[in-house]
Structure formats: C-alpha cells, structure tokens
Amino acid sequence: MRKIFFLPVLISFFIVACSQTLKETDIPVIVASTFKNLYPLATNNHWTKEKKGYEASFVNDNKDCSVVFDATGVVLETEVEIAETALPEAAQKYLAAKYPGVKIKETAIITDAKGTKTYEAEVKGNDLIFDAEGNFINKNND
C-alpha cells in the first residue's frame, strides 16, 4: 500500500522539479521585456522555468502559444496552436493511417531559433512530431 502511495508523490515531485511555475517578477528583466515587445497583446500569461530557459504560455490572437527564452532574452523556440487541417497533408495521412478514429487533442507549429519549422500533434498523451513536409520524425511522451 505504501508503494502505491509513494509512486504518485515521487512522480509529482519530479514534475515540479523539472518545470517550476514562476511569477513574472521572478523572470529576468531582459526576458520579460523581450516577451512584452514581441507579444504586446498577449493574455493569460503563465511562466515556467524549464531546463532550456524560461517558457511563457499565453493566448495571442485567440490562439494558444508558448515561447521559450534563454536567460539573455533570446528566443529558443515558439509554438503556436493551429487547426488540424493546417497540418501538412503527409502528416494528416500518417495520423489517419496510424490512429484511425482517434481524437487529436491539439496541433501546433513549432519554430526553433534557426527558423526550422516542425509540426506537433498530441495523440493519446504523446506528442507526434513531423517535419515541414509532414514526414513523421518522432514521438515524445508528454
């Protein structure tokens, strides 16, 4: 019985340790300033400390978004919610073949610091990643 109780506690601790919620006052000034300059109309801002840096999750232009900054305010990655139909055709075909009838929880376009675009589809608790042409790259557990 103790093992059953201990496991969820351990998992919760690990999740909190890897992703720490922050107040905006805990964000480096350069990061907060860069965010405000890039997304002046953003609402529902939520900050977390990630291994890579600082992540802001927010709503912009009625879309769920996130952006990751390093400690100097450089954008490392952006993620913007898109419609399922905005996925490349090859990605849509892959999902229909591998996950027939399964509801896709969310889809997004991810742009890294070099401008490389990938697509993400969350299915059954996994993030499926596709390249710009819609070719499957990998699956990450959420």
Short mmCIF file of all heavy atoms in Angstrom, two decimals, residues 71-142:
data_model
loop_
_atom_site.label_atom_id
_atom_site.label_comp_id
_atom_site.label_asym_id
_atom_site.label_seq_id
_atom_site.Cartn_x
_atom_site.Cartn_y
_atom_site.Cartn_z
N ALA A 71 18.27 32.78 -20.78
CA ALA A 71 18.35 33.78 -19.71
C ALA A 71 18.70 35.18 -20.21
O ALA A 71 18.53 36.16 -19.48
CB ALA A 71 19.36 33.34 -18.66
N THR A 72 19.17 35.29 -21.45
CA THR A 72 19.53 36.60 -22.01
C THR A 72 18.42 37.19 -22.87
O THR A 72 18.60 38.23 -23.50
CB THR A 72 20.83 36.52 -22.84
OG1 THR A 72 20.59 35.71 -24.00
CG2 THR A 72 21.98 35.97 -22.02
N GLY A 73 17.27 36.50 -22.95
CA GLY A 73 16.14 37.01 -23.71
C GLY A 73 16.09 36.57 -25.16
O GLY A 73 15.25 37.02 -25.92
N VAL A 74 16.98 35.66 -25.55
CA VAL A 74 16.99 35.14 -26.92
C VAL A 74 15.89 34.07 -27.04
O VAL A 74 15.78 33.19 -26.19
CB VAL A 74 18.36 34.53 -27.28
CG1 VAL A 74 18.32 33.83 -28.63
CG2 VAL A 74 19.43 35.62 -27.28
N VAL A 75 15.09 34.18 -28.10
CA VAL A 75 14.02 33.20 -28.34
C VAL A 75 14.64 31.90 -28.83
O VAL A 75 15.37 31.88 -29.82
CB VAL A 75 13.00 33.72 -29.38
CG1 VAL A 75 11.98 32.64 -29.72
CG2 VAL A 75 12.31 34.97 -28.87
N LEU A 76 14.35 30.81 -28.11
CA LEU A 76 14.85 29.50 -28.49
C LEU A 76 13.83 28.71 -29.31
O LEU A 76 14.21 27.91 -30.17
CB LEU A 76 15.21 28.69 -27.24
CG LEU A 76 16.27 29.31 -26.33
CD1 LEU A 76 16.47 28.45 -25.09
CD2 LEU A 76 17.58 29.51 -27.08
N GLU A 77 12.55 28.96 -29.02
CA GLU A 77 11.51 28.19 -29.70
C GLU A 77 10.15 28.87 -29.49
O GLU A 77 9.90 29.42 -28.43
CB GLU A 77 11.47 26.77 -29.10
CG GLU A 77 10.42 25.86 -29.64
CD GLU A 77 10.44 24.50 -28.98
OE1 GLU A 77 11.30 23.68 -29.35
OE2 GLU A 77 9.62 24.28 -28.08
N THR A 78 9.32 28.81 -30.52
CA THR A 78 7.94 29.26 -30.38
C THR A 78 7.02 28.12 -30.78
O THR A 78 7.39 27.26 -31.59
CB THR A 78 7.62 30.48 -31.27
OG1 THR A 78 7.79 30.12 -32.64
CG2 THR A 78 8.48 31.67 -30.93
N GLU A 79 5.84 28.10 -30.20
CA GLU A 79 4.83 27.10 -30.53
C GLU A 79 3.48 27.82 -30.61
O GLU A 79 3.11 28.55 -29.70
CB GLU A 79 4.77 26.02 -29.46
CG GLU A 79 3.83 24.90 -29.76
CD GLU A 79 3.93 23.75 -28.77
OE1 GLU A 79 5.04 23.44 -28.29
OE2 GLU A 79 2.89 23.14 -28.48
N VAL A 80 2.79 27.62 -31.74
CA VAL A 80 1.51 28.27 -31.96
C VAL A 80 0.49 27.23 -32.37
O VAL A 80 0.73 26.43 -33.28
CB VAL A 80 1.62 29.36 -33.07
CG1 VAL A 80 0.26 30.02 -33.30
CG2 VAL A 80 2.67 30.40 -32.71
N GLU A 81 -0.64 27.27 -31.69
CA GLU A 81 -1.74 26.36 -31.99
C GLU A 81 -2.22 26.58 -33.43
O GLU A 81 -2.32 27.72 -33.90
CB GLU A 81 -2.88 26.65 -31.01
CG GLU A 81 -4.17 25.96 -31.31
CD GLU A 81 -5.30 26.45 -30.41
OE1 GLU A 81 -5.46 27.69 -30.26
OE2 GLU A 81 -5.99 25.60 -29.87
N ILE A 82 -2.49 25.47 -34.13
CA ILE A 82 -3.04 25.53 -35.48
C ILE A 82 -4.21 24.56 -35.57
O ILE A 82 -4.36 23.67 -34.74
CB ILE A 82 -2.00 25.20 -36.57
CG1 ILE A 82 -1.45 23.78 -36.37
CG2 ILE A 82 -0.91 26.24 -36.62
CD1 ILE A 82 -0.58 23.27 -37.51
N ALA A 83 -5.02 24.73 -36.60
CA ALA A 83 -6.11 23.78 -36.86
C ALA A 83 -5.51 22.47 -37.37
O ALA A 83 -4.45 22.47 -38.01
CB ALA A 83 -7.06 24.36 -37.91
N GLU A 84 -6.19 21.39 -37.08
CA GLU A 84 -5.75 20.07 -37.54
C GLU A 84 -5.57 20.06 -39.06
O GLU A 84 -4.65 19.45 -39.59
CB GLU A 84 -6.80 19.05 -37.12
CG GLU A 84 -6.32 17.65 -37.00
CD GLU A 84 -7.40 16.75 -36.43
OE1 GLU A 84 -7.97 17.05 -35.37
OE2 GLU A 84 -7.67 15.73 -37.09
N THR A 85 -6.44 20.77 -39.75
CA THR A 85 -6.38 20.83 -41.21
C THR A 85 -5.19 21.63 -41.72
O THR A 85 -4.87 21.58 -42.91
CB THR A 85 -7.68 21.42 -41.78
OG1 THR A 85 -7.89 22.71 -41.18
CG2 THR A 85 -8.86 20.52 -41.50
N ALA A 86 -4.51 22.36 -40.84
CA ALA A 86 -3.33 23.13 -41.23
C ALA A 86 -2.05 22.29 -41.19
O ALA A 86 -0.99 22.75 -41.62
CB ALA A 86 -3.17 24.36 -40.35
N LEU A 87 -2.16 21.06 -40.67
CA LEU A 87 -1.01 20.16 -40.72
C LEU A 87 -0.71 19.83 -42.18
O LEU A 87 -1.63 19.77 -43.01
CB LEU A 87 -1.31 18.85 -39.98
CG LEU A 87 -1.41 18.89 -38.47
CD1 LEU A 87 -1.91 17.55 -37.94
CD2 LEU A 87 -0.05 19.22 -37.85
N PRO A 88 0.56 19.60 -42.52
CA PRO A 88 0.85 19.18 -43.88
C PRO A 88 0.07 17.90 -44.23
O PRO A 88 -0.22 17.08 -43.36
CB PRO A 88 2.36 18.91 -43.85
CG PRO A 88 2.87 19.70 -42.71
CD PRO A 88 1.76 19.72 -41.69
N GLU A 89 -0.25 17.76 -45.50
CA GLU A 89 -1.06 16.64 -45.96
C GLU A 89 -0.45 15.29 -45.56
O GLU A 89 -1.17 14.38 -45.14
CB GLU A 89 -1.25 16.70 -47.47
CG GLU A 89 -2.21 15.66 -48.00
CD GLU A 89 -2.45 15.79 -49.49
OE1 GLU A 89 -2.21 16.86 -50.05
OE2 GLU A 89 -2.88 14.78 -50.07
N ALA A 90 0.86 15.16 -45.66
CA ALA A 90 1.51 13.90 -45.31
C ALA A 90 1.30 13.57 -43.82
O ALA A 90 1.10 12.40 -43.46
CB ALA A 90 3.00 13.94 -45.63
N ALA A 91 1.33 14.56 -42.97
CA ALA A 91 1.10 14.35 -41.54
C ALA A 91 -0.35 13.93 -41.29
O ALA A 91 -0.61 13.02 -40.49
CB ALA A 91 1.42 15.62 -40.75
N GLN A 92 -1.27 14.55 -41.98
CA GLN A 92 -2.69 14.18 -41.83
C GLN A 92 -2.91 12.73 -42.27
O GLN A 92 -3.63 11.98 -41.60
CB GLN A 92 -3.57 15.12 -42.66
CG GLN A 92 -3.61 16.54 -42.11
CD GLN A 92 -4.49 17.45 -42.93
OE1 GLN A 92 -5.62 17.10 -43.25
NE2 GLN A 92 -3.99 18.63 -43.28
N LYS A 93 -2.27 12.33 -43.36
CA LYS A 93 -2.41 10.94 -43.84
C LYS A 93 -1.79 9.96 -42.85
O LYS A 93 -2.33 8.88 -42.59
CB LYS A 93 -1.77 10.79 -45.21
CG LYS A 93 -2.57 11.44 -46.32
CD LYS A 93 -1.89 11.27 -47.67
CE LYS A 93 -2.73 11.88 -48.78
NZ LYS A 93 -2.09 11.78 -50.09
N TYR A 94 -0.64 10.32 -42.28
CA TYR A 94 0.02 9.47 -41.29
C TYR A 94 -0.90 9.26 -40.09
O TYR A 94 -1.08 8.13 -39.63
CB TYR A 94 1.34 10.11 -40.84
CG TYR A 94 2.06 9.34 -39.77
CD1 TYR A 94 3.02 8.40 -40.10
CD2 TYR A 94 1.79 9.55 -38.42
CE1 TYR A 94 3.69 7.69 -39.12
CE2 TYR A 94 2.45 8.85 -37.44
CZ TYR A 94 3.40 7.91 -37.79
OH TYR A 94 4.05 7.20 -36.81
N LEU A 95 -1.46 10.34 -39.59
CA LEU A 95 -2.34 10.25 -38.42
C LEU A 95 -3.59 9.42 -38.72
O LEU A 95 -4.00 8.59 -37.89
CB LEU A 95 -2.74 11.66 -37.96
CG LEU A 95 -1.60 12.48 -37.36
CD1 LEU A 95 -1.98 13.94 -37.27
CD2 LEU A 95 -1.18 11.93 -36.01
N ALA A 96 -4.16 9.59 -39.90
CA ALA A 96 -5.36 8.82 -40.27
C ALA A 96 -5.04 7.33 -40.38
O ALA A 96 -5.85 6.49 -39.99
CB ALA A 96 -5.92 9.34 -41.59
N ALA A 97 -3.85 7.00 -40.88
CA ALA A 97 -3.46 5.60 -41.04
C ALA A 97 -3.06 4.94 -39.72
O ALA A 97 -3.45 3.80 -39.44
CB ALA A 97 -2.31 5.49 -42.05
N LYS A 98 -2.30 5.65 -38.91
CA LYS A 98 -1.77 5.08 -37.65
C LYS A 98 -2.73 5.20 -36.47
O LYS A 98 -2.65 4.42 -35.53
CB LYS A 98 -0.44 5.75 -37.28
CG LYS A 98 0.65 5.55 -38.28
CD LYS A 98 1.19 4.14 -38.23
CE LYS A 98 2.39 4.02 -39.17
NZ LYS A 98 2.96 2.70 -39.16
N TYR A 99 -3.61 6.18 -36.52
CA TYR A 99 -4.54 6.43 -35.41
C TYR A 99 -5.96 6.64 -35.93
O TYR A 99 -6.56 7.68 -35.68
CB TYR A 99 -4.08 7.66 -34.60
CG TYR A 99 -2.72 7.51 -33.99
CD1 TYR A 99 -1.57 7.93 -34.67
CD2 TYR A 99 -2.56 6.91 -32.74
CE1 TYR A 99 -0.31 7.79 -34.11
CE2 TYR A 99 -1.31 6.76 -32.18
CZ TYR A 99 -0.19 7.19 -32.87
OH TYR A 99 1.06 7.05 -32.32
N PRO A 100 -6.50 5.66 -36.64
CA PRO A 100 -7.84 5.84 -37.22
C PRO A 100 -8.90 6.03 -36.12
O PRO A 100 -8.93 5.29 -35.14
CB PRO A 100 -8.08 4.55 -38.00
CG PRO A 100 -7.15 3.55 -37.39
CD PRO A 100 -5.96 4.33 -36.89
N GLY A 101 -9.70 7.07 -36.28
CA GLY A 101 -10.78 7.33 -35.34
C GLY A 101 -10.35 7.92 -34.01
O GLY A 101 -11.19 8.17 -33.15
N VAL A 102 -9.06 8.14 -33.81
CA VAL A 102 -8.56 8.68 -32.53
C VAL A 102 -8.60 10.20 -32.59
O VAL A 102 -8.19 10.82 -33.57
CB VAL A 102 -7.12 8.19 -32.25
CG1 VAL A 102 -6.58 8.83 -30.98
CG2 VAL A 102 -7.10 6.67 -32.13
N LYS A 103 -9.10 10.81 -31.51
CA LYS A 103 -9.19 12.26 -31.41
C LYS A 103 -7.80 12.85 -31.19
O LYS A 103 -7.05 12.42 -30.33
CB LYS A 103 -10.11 12.64 -30.24
CG LYS A 103 -10.16 14.11 -29.92
CD LYS A 103 -11.42 14.74 -30.46
CE LYS A 103 -11.57 16.15 -29.99
NZ LYS A 103 -11.03 17.12 -30.90
N ILE A 104 -7.48 13.84 -32.00
CA ILE A 104 -6.23 14.58 -31.82
C ILE A 104 -6.52 15.71 -30.84
O ILE A 104 -7.40 16.53 -31.07
CB ILE A 104 -5.71 15.12 -33.16
CG1 ILE A 104 -5.39 13.96 -34.09
CG2 ILE A 104 -4.50 16.02 -32.94
CD1 ILE A 104 -5.03 14.36 -35.49
N LYS A 105 -5.78 15.72 -29.73
CA LYS A 105 -6.06 16.69 -28.66
C LYS A 105 -5.71 18.12 -29.08
O LYS A 105 -6.46 19.05 -28.84
CB LYS A 105 -5.32 16.30 -27.39
CG LYS A 105 -5.66 17.18 -26.21
CD LYS A 105 -5.03 16.70 -24.94
CE LYS A 105 -5.39 17.62 -23.79
NZ LYS A 105 -4.74 17.23 -22.56
N GLU A 106 -4.53 18.29 -29.68
CA GLU A 106 -4.13 19.62 -30.13
C GLU A 106 -3.06 19.50 -31.20
O GLU A 106 -2.36 18.50 -31.28
CB GLU A 106 -3.63 20.51 -28.99
CG GLU A 106 -2.35 20.07 -28.35
CD GLU A 106 -1.92 20.99 -27.20
OE1 GLU A 106 -2.76 21.43 -26.42
OE2 GLU A 106 -0.70 21.25 -27.11
N THR A 107 -2.96 20.53 -32.02
CA THR A 107 -1.94 20.59 -33.07
C THR A 107 -1.27 21.95 -33.02
O THR A 107 -1.89 22.95 -32.64
CB THR A 107 -2.56 20.35 -34.46
OG1 THR A 107 -3.67 21.24 -34.63
CG2 THR A 107 -3.05 18.92 -34.62
N ALA A 108 0.00 21.97 -33.39
CA ALA A 108 0.76 23.21 -33.31
C ALA A 108 1.88 23.21 -34.33
O ALA A 108 2.33 22.16 -34.78
CB ALA A 108 1.33 23.40 -31.91
N ILE A 109 2.34 24.42 -34.64
CA ILE A 109 3.55 24.59 -35.44
C ILE A 109 4.63 25.11 -34.49
O ILE A 109 4.37 26.02 -33.69
CB ILE A 109 3.34 25.52 -36.65
CG1 ILE A 109 4.59 25.53 -37.52
CG2 ILE A 109 2.91 26.91 -36.23
CD1 ILE A 109 4.39 26.15 -38.89
N ILE A 110 5.80 24.50 -34.58
CA ILE A 110 6.92 24.86 -33.71
C ILE A 110 8.03 25.42 -34.58
O ILE A 110 8.38 24.84 -35.61
CB ILE A 110 7.43 23.61 -32.94
CG1 ILE A 110 6.31 23.03 -32.10
CG2 ILE A 110 8.65 23.97 -32.10
CD1 ILE A 110 6.61 21.66 -31.53
N THR A 111 8.58 26.55 -34.16
CA THR A 111 9.68 27.17 -34.89
C THR A 111 10.86 27.31 -33.94
O THR A 111 10.71 27.91 -32.86
CB THR A 111 9.27 28.55 -35.44
OG1 THR A 111 8.06 28.41 -36.20
CG2 THR A 111 10.37 29.14 -36.31
N ASP A 112 12.01 26.74 -34.30
CA ASP A 112 13.17 26.84 -33.42
C ASP A 112 13.95 28.12 -33.71
O ASP A 112 13.58 28.91 -34.59
CB ASP A 112 14.05 25.59 -33.50
CG ASP A 112 14.80 25.42 -34.82
OD1 ASP A 112 14.88 26.38 -35.62
OD2 ASP A 112 15.32 24.32 -35.07
N ALA A 113 15.03 28.33 -32.98
CA ALA A 113 15.82 29.56 -33.09
C ALA A 113 16.40 29.78 -34.48
O ALA A 113 16.66 30.91 -34.88
CB ALA A 113 16.93 29.56 -32.04
N LYS A 114 16.60 28.70 -35.24
CA LYS A 114 17.15 28.81 -36.59
C LYS A 114 16.07 29.02 -37.64
O LYS A 114 16.36 29.14 -38.81
CB LYS A 114 17.95 27.55 -36.92
CG LYS A 114 19.16 27.36 -36.05
CD LYS A 114 19.87 26.07 -36.38
CE LYS A 114 21.04 25.85 -35.44
NZ LYS A 114 21.67 24.56 -35.67
N GLY A 115 14.80 29.03 -37.21
CA GLY A 115 13.70 29.21 -38.14
C GLY A 115 13.16 27.91 -38.71
O GLY A 115 12.26 27.93 -39.56
N THR A 116 13.68 26.78 -38.26
CA THR A 116 13.20 25.48 -38.72
C THR A 116 11.82 25.22 -38.14
O THR A 116 11.62 25.33 -36.92
CB THR A 116 14.18 24.36 -38.29
OG1 THR A 116 15.47 24.67 -38.81
CG2 THR A 116 13.71 23.01 -38.81
N LYS A 117 10.90 24.86 -39.01
CA LYS A 117 9.52 24.60 -38.59
C LYS A 117 9.25 23.10 -38.53
O LYS A 117 9.65 22.36 -39.42
CB LYS A 117 8.54 25.26 -39.54
CG LYS A 117 8.63 26.78 -39.52
CD LYS A 117 7.58 27.41 -40.40
CE LYS A 117 7.70 28.90 -40.49
NZ LYS A 117 7.81 29.65 -39.30
N THR A 118 8.60 22.69 -37.45
CA THR A 118 8.09 21.33 -37.31
C THR A 118 6.64 21.43 -36.86
O THR A 118 6.19 22.50 -36.42
CB THR A 118 8.91 20.49 -36.31
OG1 THR A 118 8.95 21.19 -35.05
CG2 THR A 118 10.32 20.23 -36.80
N TYR A 119 5.95 20.33 -36.97
CA TYR A 119 4.55 20.28 -36.57
C TYR A 119 4.39 19.26 -35.45
O TYR A 119 5.11 18.26 -35.41
CB TYR A 119 3.65 19.91 -37.76
CG TYR A 119 3.61 20.98 -38.81
CD1 TYR A 119 4.58 21.04 -39.80
CD2 TYR A 119 2.62 21.96 -38.78
CE1 TYR A 119 4.55 22.04 -40.76
CE2 TYR A 119 2.59 22.97 -39.74
CZ TYR A 119 3.55 23.00 -40.72
OH TYR A 119 3.53 23.99 -41.66
N GLU A 120 3.43 19.52 -34.58
CA GLU A 120 3.17 18.63 -33.45
C GLU A 120 1.68 18.30 -33.42
O GLU A 120 0.85 19.17 -33.62
CB GLU A 120 3.57 19.35 -32.16
CG GLU A 120 3.25 18.60 -30.90
CD GLU A 120 3.58 19.44 -29.68
OE1 GLU A 120 2.76 20.31 -29.33
OE2 GLU A 120 4.66 19.23 -29.12
N ALA A 121 1.40 17.03 -33.18
CA ALA A 121 0.02 16.59 -32.97
C ALA A 121 0.01 15.76 -31.70
O ALA A 121 0.77 14.79 -31.58
CB ALA A 121 -0.47 15.77 -34.16
N GLU A 122 -0.82 16.15 -30.73
CA GLU A 122 -0.92 15.40 -29.48
C GLU A 122 -2.01 14.35 -29.61
O GLU A 122 -3.18 14.67 -29.82
CB GLU A 122 -1.22 16.32 -28.30
CG GLU A 122 -1.17 15.56 -26.98
CD GLU A 122 -1.43 16.43 -25.78
OE1 GLU A 122 -1.23 17.65 -25.86
OE2 GLU A 122 -1.85 15.88 -24.76
N VAL A 123 -1.58 13.08 -29.52
CA VAL A 123 -2.48 11.95 -29.66
C VAL A 123 -2.20 10.96 -28.54
O VAL A 123 -1.05 10.54 -28.35
CB VAL A 123 -2.27 11.24 -31.03
CG1 VAL A 123 -3.23 10.09 -31.19
CG2 VAL A 123 -2.42 12.21 -32.17
N LYS A 124 -3.23 10.59 -27.80
CA LYS A 124 -3.11 9.59 -26.73
C LYS A 124 -1.96 9.90 -25.76
O LYS A 124 -1.21 9.04 -25.37
CB LYS A 124 -2.92 8.19 -27.32
CG LYS A 124 -4.13 7.65 -28.04
CD LYS A 124 -3.88 6.21 -28.46
CE LYS A 124 -5.16 5.55 -28.88
NZ LYS A 124 -4.97 4.14 -29.21
N GLY A 125 -1.83 11.18 -25.40
CA GLY A 125 -0.81 11.57 -24.43
C GLY A 125 0.60 11.64 -24.99
O GLY A 125 1.55 11.81 -24.24
N ASN A 126 0.75 11.51 -26.29
CA ASN A 126 2.06 11.60 -26.93
C ASN A 126 2.08 12.76 -27.91
O ASN A 126 1.09 13.05 -28.57
CB ASN A 126 2.37 10.31 -27.71
CG ASN A 126 2.49 9.12 -26.80
OD1 ASN A 126 3.33 9.08 -25.92
ND2 ASN A 126 1.63 8.13 -27.01
N ASP A 127 3.24 13.40 -28.00
CA ASP A 127 3.44 14.45 -28.99
C ASP A 127 4.11 13.81 -30.20
O ASP A 127 5.25 13.33 -30.10
CB ASP A 127 4.33 15.57 -28.44
CG ASP A 127 3.65 16.36 -27.34
OD1 ASP A 127 2.40 16.43 -27.36
OD2 ASP A 127 4.36 16.91 -26.48
N LEU A 128 3.40 13.79 -31.32
CA LEU A 128 3.96 13.27 -32.55
C LEU A 128 4.53 14.45 -33.32
O LEU A 128 3.84 15.45 -33.55
CB LEU A 128 2.89 12.57 -33.38
CG LEU A 128 2.13 11.45 -32.66
CD1 LEU A 128 1.06 10.86 -33.56
CD2 LEU A 128 3.08 10.36 -32.19
N ILE A 129 5.79 14.35 -33.72
CA ILE A 129 6.49 15.46 -34.37
C ILE A 129 6.70 15.12 -35.85
O ILE A 129 7.14 14.02 -36.20
CB ILE A 129 7.85 15.73 -33.69
CG1 ILE A 129 7.67 15.92 -32.17
CG2 ILE A 129 8.54 16.93 -34.32
CD1 ILE A 129 6.80 17.08 -31.75
N PHE A 130 6.42 16.11 -36.70
CA PHE A 130 6.54 15.98 -38.15
C PHE A 130 7.41 17.11 -38.68
O PHE A 130 7.40 18.22 -38.14
CB PHE A 130 5.16 16.06 -38.81
CG PHE A 130 4.21 15.01 -38.34
CD1 PHE A 130 3.39 15.23 -37.25
CD2 PHE A 130 4.13 13.79 -38.99
CE1 PHE A 130 2.50 14.26 -36.79
CE2 PHE A 130 3.26 12.80 -38.55
CZ PHE A 130 2.44 13.04 -37.45
N ASP A 131 8.15 16.85 -39.76
CA ASP A 131 8.94 17.92 -40.37
C ASP A 131 8.04 18.83 -41.20
O ASP A 131 6.82 18.61 -41.27
CB ASP A 131 10.10 17.35 -41.20
CG ASP A 131 9.69 16.58 -42.44
OD1 ASP A 131 8.52 16.69 -42.89
OD2 ASP A 131 10.55 15.86 -42.99
N ALA A 132 8.62 19.82 -41.84
CA ALA A 132 7.85 20.83 -42.58
C ALA A 132 7.04 20.23 -43.72
O ALA A 132 6.00 20.77 -44.10
CB ALA A 132 8.77 21.91 -43.10
N GLU A 133 7.48 19.08 -44.25
CA GLU A 133 6.76 18.41 -45.33
C GLU A 133 5.70 17.44 -44.80
O GLU A 133 4.95 16.86 -45.57
CB GLU A 133 7.73 17.66 -46.25
CG GLU A 133 8.58 18.57 -47.13
CD GLU A 133 9.70 19.24 -46.35
OE1 GLU A 133 10.33 18.57 -45.50
OE2 GLU A 133 9.94 20.44 -46.57
N GLY A 134 5.70 17.22 -43.50
CA GLY A 134 4.72 16.32 -42.90
C GLY A 134 5.22 14.92 -42.67
O GLY A 134 4.45 14.03 -42.30
N ASN A 135 6.53 14.70 -42.84
CA ASN A 135 7.10 13.38 -42.59
C ASN A 135 7.28 13.18 -41.09
O ASN A 135 7.78 14.07 -40.39
CB ASN A 135 8.46 13.24 -43.29
CG ASN A 135 8.34 13.41 -44.78
OD1 ASN A 135 7.56 12.72 -45.42
ND2 ASN A 135 9.09 14.34 -45.34
N PHE A 136 6.88 12.00 -40.59
CA PHE A 136 6.99 11.69 -39.16
C PHE A 136 8.45 11.69 -38.75
O PHE A 136 9.30 11.10 -39.42
CB PHE A 136 6.35 10.32 -38.89
CG PHE A 136 6.49 9.89 -37.45
CD1 PHE A 136 5.72 10.46 -36.47
CD2 PHE A 136 7.40 8.91 -37.10
CE1 PHE A 136 5.84 10.08 -35.14
CE2 PHE A 136 7.52 8.50 -35.77
CZ PHE A 136 6.74 9.09 -34.80
N ILE A 137 8.75 12.37 -37.63
CA ILE A 137 10.13 12.42 -37.10
C ILE A 137 10.25 11.55 -35.86
O ILE A 137 11.08 10.66 -35.80
CB ILE A 137 10.54 13.86 -36.75
CG1 ILE A 137 10.53 14.74 -38.00
CG2 ILE A 137 11.91 13.88 -36.09
CD1 ILE A 137 10.80 16.21 -37.72
N ASN A 138 9.41 11.83 -34.85
CA ASN A 138 9.49 11.04 -33.61
C ASN A 138 8.26 11.25 -32.75
O ASN A 138 7.40 12.08 -33.03
CB ASN A 138 10.77 11.34 -32.82
CG ASN A 138 10.85 12.76 -32.32
OD1 ASN A 138 9.85 13.44 -32.14
ND2 ASN A 138 12.05 13.23 -32.09
N LYS A 139 8.21 10.47 -31.67
CA LYS A 139 7.11 10.54 -30.71
C LYS A 139 7.72 10.82 -29.34
O LYS A 139 8.64 10.14 -28.90
CB LYS A 139 6.36 9.21 -30.69
CG LYS A 139 5.27 9.13 -29.65
CD LYS A 139 4.39 7.90 -29.81
CE LYS A 139 5.05 6.65 -29.39
NZ LYS A 139 4.14 5.49 -29.33
N ASN A 140 7.21 11.87 -28.68
CA ASN A 140 7.65 12.22 -27.34
C ASN A 140 6.51 11.98 -26.36
O ASN A 140 5.39 12.39 -26.63
CB ASN A 140 8.04 13.71 -27.26
CG ASN A 140 9.15 14.07 -28.20
OD1 ASN A 140 10.07 13.29 -28.41
ND2 ASN A 140 9.09 15.25 -28.76
N ASN A 141 6.81 11.33 -25.25
CA ASN A 141 5.79 11.16 -24.21
C ASN A 141 5.61 12.49 -23.52
O ASN A 141 6.57 13.19 -23.23
CB ASN A 141 6.21 10.10 -23.19
CG ASN A 141 6.25 8.73 -23.81
OD1 ASN A 141 5.86 8.53 -24.94
ND2 ASN A 141 6.77 7.78 -23.07
N ASP A 142 4.35 12.86 -23.28
CA ASP A 142 4.05 14.11 -22.59
C ASP A 142 4.44 14.06 -21.15
O ASP A 142 4.46 13.12 -20.50
CB ASP A 142 2.55 14.39 -22.70
CG ASP A 142 2.26 15.69 -23.41
OD1 ASP A 142 3.21 16.38 -23.80
OD2 ASP A 142 1.07 15.98 -23.59
#
